[in-house]
Structures are given as C-alpha cells and as structure tokens.
Amino acid sequence: MVYRDLATMKEAETVRTRPLVRLRPGYLQLVTGPRAIFVYERRGRLVRAVLDGHAFQVGLDNRVLEKWQEGGQAGLRGRHRRWLTPSAALELRERARQAAALCLHQLESLPILAETGEGKAEVARWLARASAYDEARWQADAAAFARVYSPISILPPDQYDSLVLQATLGCSYNRCTFCSFYRDRAFRIRRPEEFREHVRAVQELVGEGISYFHQVFLADANALIIPQRLLLSIFEIARRALPQLANPGIYSFLDVFGGLRKNARDFAELSALGLQMVYLGIESGSRDLLRFLNKPGGPEETAAVVEAIKGGGVAVGLIFLVGAGGRQYREKHFQETLRLLSELPLDGRDVIYLSPFVEEAASEYTQVAEEEGVEPLSENEILEEVRRLWQGIEAIAWTANQGRPRVTLYDIREFIY
Ligand code: SF4
C-alpha cells in the first residue's frame, strides 16, 4: 500500500511488524525494525543509519562516524563519537545493502509512505540501486571523491548537507596556532575557468545523489576573501550550474581580517546572488586571547565586519572557541566575548556557535602555551565554560525586534562530509 502522508499511514497500519519504506525529498528511508533505520540517496548510496540508538553518518570518502548518548547522561557530557574501522564500515554498508535487497524482494507486501508523490515503481528502482551498491562501487566512489576534492577540512555543523564547491584551496593566513585544518596546502584562488571545471566534476561525482544536498557551501577556509569582481563571477558560475541548490542559498566562511576588505555594498551584491550566511571564525571577544592564538583582529574589527555583512542583508554565524587560552584567559575570554556579543546588531537570522576547544598534541598552540605557562582546562571544565557562556548569551537583551540569535554547539570532532 502506498500512503501519501504519515497520519493516514498510521491510521491504516496500527500494528506494524513489517519494514516500512519512506520516500522523502532527496532520500529513501527503510525502517527495518523498532531500532533500525537506513537512509539512501538517489543513487542508492547509504548516507546514514540509526541502529540501537547509535547514529552512523557516511562520508563521501566512505568513512563512517558513529555517535551516541551514553549512560542516561543528558546534554554535552553524555555525547560520544568514534570513527568506525574500515572493516566495521564495510559491515554497515553490507547490512544496508542487504536491507535494501530484502525490502525489494518483499515490496508488494510492504507499506510505503511516499511524501514525494512518486509511486511504487520508483521505490523499486531506488531499492534496486541500493541493493546493487557493492564494494567495487564504494571504492570507486572514494577514489573519485579524492580526485575531485582537496581534503574538506571542516564545515559548520548545519552545513554537512551542503554541496561543497572549493573556490579557494587552503587558508590565506594559515598561522593561527590552534588551527591545523589547512597546513597541508598553500592558499590558492581558483580562476573562473578552473572553478567551472571543478563544479562540473562535482556534479559528475554526485550524479543523481545531488538531490540529497540542500544548498551550496563555498569553501575552503575564508573563500569570501576572493576579490569582489572575481567572487561575483564565482557566484554566477555556481548559480548557473546548480540553480536548485544556489537558490535556496550559498554559504561560506570568512575571517575578520578578510571581512575588513569588504563593505556592506559588496555583501549586498553577494546577497543578490544568493549569499545567505557568512560564518565568521571570531574565536573570542578578547584581543589579548586572539594575540595569544596568533589570530589577527579584535572586538572593534569584528563589530565592523558584522555590521558590514548585516548591512548587506546577509546573516552571520559567529564561531567562538570555548576553552582556548586555558585557565589564564578563561575569565577574560568569557567577559569580553559576552561584551562583544551584546554590542553586535544580531537578530533571529543569526547563529552563535560555541565550539569546545580541542587541543592537538604537539601543535603550535601547545608549544606556545607551554612557553607562556598557560594551563589547559580539562574537558569537563571546557564543557562547563560552554554552559556558562551559553547562559550568559541567553541573558543578553538584544534590541533588534526581529528576534534573538540562536545559540548552538559546534563540535569539530563531529564533522563529516
Ligand atoms: S582559524 Fe581560520 S584564519 Fe586561522 S589558520 Fe585556521 S582557517 Fe586560517
């Protein structure tokens, strides 16, 4: 039986002992048991699964991130994550392939919830593709991904479902002591011809699976630093090639020092071409802490850049690195970040990201911290700082009448693309 909405299906299927097939825009979901869900994009490739309360996300490079909440601990403290070993990832893929094959075999007797208006024939084709997605195909995908992309080092947490287009490679600065995301490559801006070719290669890579993506993310680190005329060409190319994604929106990173090179009119031009939000790695409202982190800028520069972006009609995503600077900078970081935030013209379109600091062993940060006697905070202390800052932000009385910015967590250990 094919149902068009959940309410009708629930009414008809009061006792559900059989698997359920659900077709949603961009993906097909199989519920094969009370605690087993598999999700496939249109090519039949597994993109995520939930098994016994553990969530699995599959990257385009075939890596799988497993996340779960432990021991009744609510919130940040109970969150756990790990990367599956290659053999465990293979086992998951095979389990998903077999689930698709079984559902295809039993399709005549299964309830189908098709929210896209498509019928049983399309479900059958989709399941056939998923049940034929063998290891050779997975390995070919990973190899193609490595050819098309430079490593995608990080994305904001609400951009994992964006189609990434690399307009630049690396970071134009690359010297913040705490950040090693782009140390493996020299900064370079793609010329329009090369970018057009990259977009074509990305389209070929994802094929029909493109319907799984929601919008465009222009990478790498601070892609919006591209000189304005060239950047407008890059936006035009993305829009022309991918109107179905660029029209919902184009998103990108910028740093404060790069933002100072643009004004409200520049951002208004980009807004007219689809730019929805600029993610700014601010890290802290404390100039002293930024100096310690070797990151250019300070609260006055941040305020000027945020005003220019918002003056151009674009929302901001402001990222703060909670726990950086350890015990010595803790109070200054907290107080001056709150002061900065309370002075910014934020509203309901904006988001504040609190990113717990993850210190890499033998990093430049560790070396400088040792030299200056900066004592690290424990993981629990960092989470406590996240909680404290979150509460402090919630208490700010913003004057804008278009709502308050949302506050959310940005855990770089949970990044997968
Ligand atoms: S934090 Fe941003 S500006 Fe600093 S090195 Fe990393 S990507 Fe570049």
Side-chain angles (χ1 to χ4, degrees):
M1 179 67 195
V2 179
Y3 302 97
R4 294 288 175 229
D5 63 80
L6 193 57
T8 319
M9 195 210 71
K10 275 186 176 160
E11 203 175 302
E13 300 278 331
T14 43
V15 182
R16 191 169 60 73
T17 51
R18 297 166 291 162
L20 163 71
V21 183
R22 189 172 191 180
L23 206 52
R24 306 210 65 192
Y27 64 86
L28 178 139
Q29 186 185 63
L30 296 182
V31 183
T32 59
R35 294 168 69 79
I37 299 172
F38 297 97
V39 178
Y40 313 79
E41 44 94 307
R42 198 166 271 279
R43 289 176 298 171
R45 183 183 160 95
L46 177 72
V47 285
R48 56 179 198 269
V50 181
L51 299 167
D52 296 323
H54 288 223
F56 298 85
Q57 279 174 296
V58 183
L60 284 175
D61 58 0
N62 292 359
R63 291 189 308 154
V64 180
L65 182 66
E66 177 183 6
K67 293 189 289 187
W68 70 100
Q69 198 76 23
E70 197 141 277
Q73 279 186 300
L76 303 180
R77 290 221 166 93
R79 277 166 89 109
H80 292 270
R81 65 202 71 76
R82 70 176 163 220
W83 293 98
L84 289 197
T85 61
S87 62
L90 190 146
E91 205 175 297
L92 178 74
R93 294 195 289 267
E94 184 53 21
R95 204 170 152 186
R97 198 187 64 73
Q98 285 178 13
L102 187 70
C103 289
L104 178 61
H105 184 65
Q106 301 176 343
L107 192 58
E108 282 311 313
S109 64
L110 296 185
I112 298 172
L113 179 56
E115 296 169 28
T116 58
E118 290 165 296
K120 194 176 278 184
E122 180 50 31
V123 172
R125 281 193 289 274
W126 202 317
L127 286 173
R129 292 192 294 271
S131 53
Y133 223 98
D134 60 10
E135 264 315 292
R137 182 86 195 269
W138 279 97
Q139 296 317 320
D141 280 357
F145 175 72
R147 277 196 304 277
V148 170
Y149 282 108
S150 285
I152 298 168
S153 303
I154 190 74
L155 291 175
D158 44 8
Q159 291 293 323
Y160 297 177
D161 58 359
S162 288
L163 189 68
V164 172
L165 301 177
Q166 290 177 308
T168 58
L169 302 178
C171 167
S172 64
Y173 177 67
N174 226 1
R175 294 199 296 278
C176 303
T177 56
F178 63 90
C179 172
S180 60
F181 286 137
Y182 304 99
R183 295 281 169 119
D184 60 343
R185 71 203 89 152
F187 178 71
R188 188 162 78 73
I189 296 174
R190 283 196 154 121
R191 306 300 306 170
E193 266 320 302
E194 188 192 351
F195 181 68
R196 196 174 283 118
E197 180 53 31
H198 170 67
V199 174
R200 197 200 52 72
V202 169
Q203 284 175 295
E204 197 177 307
L205 174 77
V206 296
E208 273 197 292
I210 201 160
S211 57
Y212 183 68
F213 296 95
H214 290 172
Q215 62 263 320
V216 167
F217 192 88
L218 211 58
D220 270 344
N222 34 24
L224 294 181
I225 206 168
I226 296 174
Q228 186 71 1
R229 276 188 53 194
L230 184 51
L231 189 55
L232 294 174
S233 310
I234 295 283
F235 268 64
E236 290 285 8
I237 292 168
R239 283 171 64 80
R240 237 172 267 141
L242 298 160
Q244 76 280 30
L245 298 180
N247 280 331
I250 299 179
Y251 297 76
S252 192
F253 276 132
L254 186 62
D255 281 284
V256 168
F257 56 86
L260 290 170
R261 299 185 193 178
K262 298 207 185 285
N263 57 36
R265 190 168 347 129
D266 293 330
F267 288 108
E269 285 178 339
L270 297 170
S271 169
L273 294 179
L275 183 64
Q276 299 293 321
M277 179 177 274
V278 176
Y279 292 87
L280 279 173
I282 294 176
E283 325 307 353
S284 176
S286 160
R287 190 178 290 276
D288 287 347
L289 176 54
L290 289 174
R291 203 173 291 125
F292 169 71
L293 299 172
N294 198 31
K295 181 145 191 170
E300 290 77 16
E301 292 89 332
T302 298
V305 172
V306 169
E307 269 167 37
I309 296 170
K310 295 202 56 72
V314 177
V316 289
L318 308 178
I319 305 158
F320 293 91
L321 196 56
V322 186
R327 221 167 294 289
Q328 275 78 347
Y329 289 91
R330 173 159 59 180
E331 207 48 40
K332 207 175 239 197
H333 189 12
F334 173 75
Q335 297 294 350
E336 295 181 17
T337 294
L338 280 184
R339 185 178 315 134
L340 166 67
L341 280 170
S342 66
E343 289 167 1
L344 295 179
L346 303 181
D347 58 51
R349 287 181 66 204
D350 305 314
V351 185
I352 297 165
Y353 296 90
L354 303 183
S355 183
F357 178 49
V358 180
E359 187 174 340
E360 277 183 43
S363 66
E364 207 179 330
Y365 175 94
T366 306
Q367 198 184 326
V368 176
E370 273 171 19
E371 282 164 14
E372 298 194 15
V374 167
E375 207 184 319
L377 298 178
S378 69
E379 198 167 335
N380 277 344
E381 285 173 315
I382 290 175
L383 292 183
E384 182 53 34
E385 284 304 295
V386 169
R387 197 189 54 76
R388 187 162 79 115
L389 193 52
W390 199 311
Q391 285 177 349
I393 295 167
E394 298 289 1
I396 294 175
W398 271 286
T399 49
N401 55 9
Q402 299 98 332
R404 301 172 56 81
R406 184 164 61 85
V407 186
T408 190
L409 191 71
Y410 185 161
D411 193 327
I412 60 170
R413 295 165 297 185
E414 296 187 356
F415 165 64
I416 180 164
Y417 182 66

